[in-house]
Amino acid sequence: MTAFRLAAPVAGARILGLGSTQPDEVVTNDDLARRIDTNDQWIRERVGIVSRRIAPESLSLVDMATDAGARAVKDAGLEPGDVDTTIVATCTMPDTIPNAAAQTAERIGIRAGAAFDVNAACAGFCYALGTAADLVRAGSSRRVLVIGAEKLSDWLDWDDRSTAIIFADGAGAAVVGAADDAESVGIGPVAWGSAGDLAQAINIHHDRRSRAGGALHQEGQTVFRWATTQIAPVALRAIEMAGLTPADIDVLVPHQANLRIVEAVAKRLRKHGAREDMRVADDIVHSGNTSSASIPLALDHMRAEGRVRSGETVLLVGFGAGLSYAGQVVRFP
Ligand code: UT7
């Protein structure tokens, strides 16, 4: 029997470039308080959000994915034709088919590339990044465009104060390419998993009778308790899998679900040796919770603010509906 010929593997993968985009419209807590029974103080204290960006009807999820993806390709110093695979992490596509990735790739100018969506909700970007790194390492893809894109505003009940104040729209992207030697590997192994016993804690059940086709529901306290107890151990596992210790982490970028969850994860990591001067993403303050877009948005914004620099060690950890979670350590490009 002749053995199959396989693609030649490489040492590992690294991030080559980043990009992001948000809608222009800023919606403040006071804006929401004019419609629903809420107030600025409650939202700031309980969730940490001051304002968020909401897309108009004319701006689609694929529009945002295209903009963020094109920026990441340019930032990587590449042409669209240099990318052979596009993965869009999303849980808010208006249509079940076609997927977002093939349309997005086509619009960026990536012709005939592999293209698929990943739905792991707020863990989606880390799932897609882990998949992309392994595709590159195995030799299945040379350069992968990974995009987290969400238009959550399409799936909110704007009269439900427990969800309308939290979620928002946007897209962020990274280009993943080969690291030819061990020294230049820039994406660590992914620590991932799921808690399907809590599957109904966050859901969008399609309802053809409603105008929007369904709305997001979440058992806030159940998810809060789960996230504040179960996510730091995932982050610690990702650090260990990369052969590092918590003290090696320069920047922590957890999914921006709630500033209190972000702070709880940082506190647990510091108890395990993470440094006091570890910078912690707080992008939720002006971006809201953008699900799979929140981690790449935070990375791109922190770079623009000079809060993360090339070569630094960054810990990513996403978590949310599924319930699904994933984390990995990356070297900032
Ligand atoms: O991204 C996907 C993953 N998702 C998450 O990680 C979300 C995790 N959960 C959370 O972040 C929080 O549970 C929420 C932000 C969703 C809610 O915060 P909470 O501190 O758990 O509030 P709660 O639901 O326990 O409500 C506390 C009180 C209630 O009033 P009573 O019963 O104490 O009188 C609510 O009715 O706050 C009230 N409340 C509000 N008040 C003003 C709930 N929503 C609002 C609101 N404005 N928007």
PDB file of all heavy atoms in Angstrom, residues 229-242:
ATOM      1  N   THR A 229     -15.553  31.722  37.818  1.00  0.00           N
ATOM      2  CA  THR A 229     -14.878  30.589  38.479  1.00  0.00           C
ATOM      3  C   THR A 229     -14.149  29.686  37.477  1.00  0.00           C
ATOM      4  O   THR A 229     -13.114  29.120  37.808  1.00  0.00           O
ATOM      5  CB  THR A 229     -15.888  29.719  39.274  1.00  0.00           C
ATOM      6  OG1 THR A 229     -16.939  29.324  38.379  1.00  0.00           O
ATOM      7  CG2 THR A 229     -16.474  30.489  40.446  1.00  0.00           C
ATOM      8  N   GLN A 230     -14.663  29.551  36.257  1.00  0.00           N
ATOM      9  CA  GLN A 230     -14.121  28.545  35.326  1.00  0.00           C
ATOM     10  C   GLN A 230     -13.141  29.080  34.283  1.00  0.00           C
ATOM     11  O   GLN A 230     -12.457  28.291  33.625  1.00  0.00           O
ATOM     12  CB  GLN A 230     -15.278  27.832  34.582  1.00  0.00           C
ATOM     13  CG  GLN A 230     -16.301  27.186  35.495  1.00  0.00           C
ATOM     14  CD  GLN A 230     -15.671  26.188  36.459  1.00  0.00           C
ATOM     15  OE1 GLN A 230     -14.894  25.333  36.061  1.00  0.00           O
ATOM     16  NE2 GLN A 230     -15.985  26.316  37.750  1.00  0.00           N
ATOM     17  N   ILE A 231     -13.077  30.384  34.096  1.00  0.00           N
ATOM     18  CA  ILE A 231     -12.261  30.905  32.986  1.00  0.00           C
ATOM     19  C   ILE A 231     -10.792  31.121  33.368  1.00  0.00           C
ATOM     20  O   ILE A 231      -9.891  30.853  32.561  1.00  0.00           O
ATOM     21  CB  ILE A 231     -12.914  32.170  32.386  1.00  0.00           C
ATOM     22  CG1 ILE A 231     -14.270  31.773  31.778  1.00  0.00           C
ATOM     23  CG2 ILE A 231     -12.026  32.821  31.335  1.00  0.00           C
ATOM     24  CD1 ILE A 231     -14.251  30.553  30.845  1.00  0.00           C
ATOM     25  N   ALA A 232     -10.521  31.538  34.590  1.00  0.00           N
ATOM     26  CA  ALA A 232      -9.105  31.682  34.996  1.00  0.00           C
ATOM     27  C   ALA A 232      -8.361  30.342  34.868  1.00  0.00           C
ATOM     28  O   ALA A 232      -7.227  30.321  34.357  1.00  0.00           O
ATOM     29  CB  ALA A 232      -9.011  32.259  36.401  1.00  0.00           C
ATOM     30  N   PRO A 233      -8.960  29.208  35.281  1.00  0.00           N
ATOM     31  CA  PRO A 233      -8.251  27.933  35.083  1.00  0.00           C
ATOM     32  C   PRO A 233      -7.944  27.617  33.606  1.00  0.00           C
ATOM     33  O   PRO A 233      -6.904  27.031  33.304  1.00  0.00           O
ATOM     34  CB  PRO A 233      -9.221  26.891  35.669  1.00  0.00           C
ATOM     35  CG  PRO A 233     -10.011  27.656  36.680  1.00  0.00           C
ATOM     36  CD  PRO A 233     -10.167  29.035  36.112  1.00  0.00           C
ATOM     37  N   VAL A 234      -8.830  28.025  32.697  1.00  0.00           N
ATOM     38  CA  VAL A 234      -8.562  27.828  31.261  1.00  0.00           C
ATOM     39  C   VAL A 234      -7.352  28.672  30.850  1.00  0.00           C
ATOM     40  O   VAL A 234      -6.453  28.208  30.129  1.00  0.00           O
ATOM     41  CB  VAL A 234      -9.797  28.216  30.407  1.00  0.00           C
ATOM     42  CG1 VAL A 234      -9.495  28.096  28.916  1.00  0.00           C
ATOM     43  CG2 VAL A 234     -11.002  27.369  30.784  1.00  0.00           C
ATOM     44  N   ALA A 235      -7.326  29.912  31.338  1.00  0.00           N
ATOM     45  CA  ALA A 235      -6.210  30.814  31.019  1.00  0.00           C
ATOM     46  C   ALA A 235      -4.895  30.244  31.557  1.00  0.00           C
ATOM     47  O   ALA A 235      -3.873  30.242  30.857  1.00  0.00           O
ATOM     48  CB  ALA A 235      -6.484  32.191  31.612  1.00  0.00           C
ATOM     49  N   LEU A 236      -4.945  29.703  32.768  1.00  0.00           N
ATOM     50  CA  LEU A 236      -3.725  29.126  33.367  1.00  0.00           C
ATOM     51  C   LEU A 236      -3.263  27.906  32.570  1.00  0.00           C
ATOM     52  O   LEU A 236      -2.071  27.680  32.386  1.00  0.00           O
ATOM     53  CB  LEU A 236      -3.989  28.741  34.832  1.00  0.00           C
ATOM     54  CG  LEU A 236      -4.141  29.940  35.780  1.00  0.00           C
ATOM     55  CD1 LEU A 236      -4.726  29.497  37.126  1.00  0.00           C
ATOM     56  CD2 LEU A 236      -2.789  30.635  35.997  1.00  0.00           C
ATOM     57  N   ARG A 237      -4.240  27.131  32.064  1.00  0.00           N
ATOM     58  CA  ARG A 237      -3.900  25.955  31.254  1.00  0.00           C
ATOM     59  C   ARG A 237      -3.219  26.379  29.950  1.00  0.00           C
ATOM     60  O   ARG A 237      -2.236  25.757  29.519  1.00  0.00           O
ATOM     61  CB  ARG A 237      -5.178  25.142  30.977  1.00  0.00           C
ATOM     62  CG  ARG A 237      -4.948  23.825  30.298  1.00  0.00           C
ATOM     63  CD  ARG A 237      -5.974  22.771  30.726  1.00  0.00           C
ATOM     64  NE  ARG A 237      -7.361  23.142  30.453  1.00  0.00           N
ATOM     65  CZ  ARG A 237      -8.010  22.883  29.333  1.00  0.00           C
ATOM     66  NH1 ARG A 237      -7.403  22.232  28.371  1.00  0.00           N
ATOM     67  NH2 ARG A 237      -9.269  23.240  29.191  1.00  0.00           N
ATOM     68  N   ALA A 238      -3.710  27.454  29.344  1.00  0.00           N
ATOM     69  CA  ALA A 238      -3.098  27.940  28.092  1.00  0.00           C
ATOM     70  C   ALA A 238      -1.658  28.383  28.343  1.00  0.00           C
ATOM     71  O   ALA A 238      -0.765  28.140  27.521  1.00  0.00           O
ATOM     72  CB  ALA A 238      -3.924  29.095  27.523  1.00  0.00           C
ATOM     73  N   ILE A 239      -1.429  29.027  29.488  1.00  0.00           N
ATOM     74  CA  ILE A 239      -0.063  29.481  29.829  1.00  0.00           C
ATOM     75  C   ILE A 239       0.847  28.263  29.990  1.00  0.00           C
ATOM     76  O   ILE A 239       1.955  28.208  29.461  1.00  0.00           O
ATOM     77  CB  ILE A 239      -0.092  30.308  31.140  1.00  0.00           C
ATOM     78  CG1 ILE A 239      -0.885  31.608  30.945  1.00  0.00           C
ATOM     79  CG2 ILE A 239       1.326  30.605  31.616  1.00  0.00           C
ATOM     80  CD1 ILE A 239      -1.148  32.376  32.240  1.00  0.00           C
ATOM     81  N   GLU A 240       0.342  27.268  30.724  1.00  0.00           N
ATOM     82  CA  GLU A 240       1.137  26.075  30.988  1.00  0.00           C
ATOM     83  C   GLU A 240       1.431  25.299  29.691  1.00  0.00           C
ATOM     84  O   GLU A 240       2.558  24.849  29.460  1.00  0.00           O
ATOM     85  CB  GLU A 240       0.354  25.189  31.962  1.00  0.00           C
ATOM     86  CG  GLU A 240       1.249  24.336  32.835  1.00  0.00           C
ATOM     87  CD  GLU A 240       0.802  22.899  32.793  1.00  0.00           C
ATOM     88  OE1 GLU A 240      -0.401  22.657  33.009  1.00  0.00           O
ATOM     89  OE2 GLU A 240       1.654  22.036  32.512  1.00  0.00           O
ATOM     90  N   MET A 241       0.404  25.216  28.837  1.00  0.00           N
ATOM     91  CA  MET A 241       0.588  24.490  27.568  1.00  0.00           C
ATOM     92  C   MET A 241       1.651  25.158  26.691  1.00  0.00           C
ATOM     93  O   MET A 241       2.313  24.497  25.890  1.00  0.00           O
ATOM     94  CB  MET A 241      -0.746  24.404  26.808  1.00  0.00           C
ATOM     95  CG  MET A 241      -1.715  23.401  27.424  1.00  0.00           C
ATOM     96  SD  MET A 241      -3.385  23.559  26.750  1.00  0.00           S
ATOM     97  CE  MET A 241      -3.206  22.806  25.141  1.00  0.00           C
ATOM     98  N   ALA A 242       1.806  26.487  26.843  1.00  0.00           N
ATOM     99  CA  ALA A 242       2.817  27.199  26.047  1.00  0.00           C
ATOM    100  C   ALA A 242       4.196  27.125  26.703  1.00  0.00           C
ATOM    101  O   ALA A 242       5.162  27.697  26.183  1.00  0.00           O
ATOM    102  CB  ALA A 242       2.389  28.657  25.862  1.00  0.00           C
TER     103      ALA A 242
END
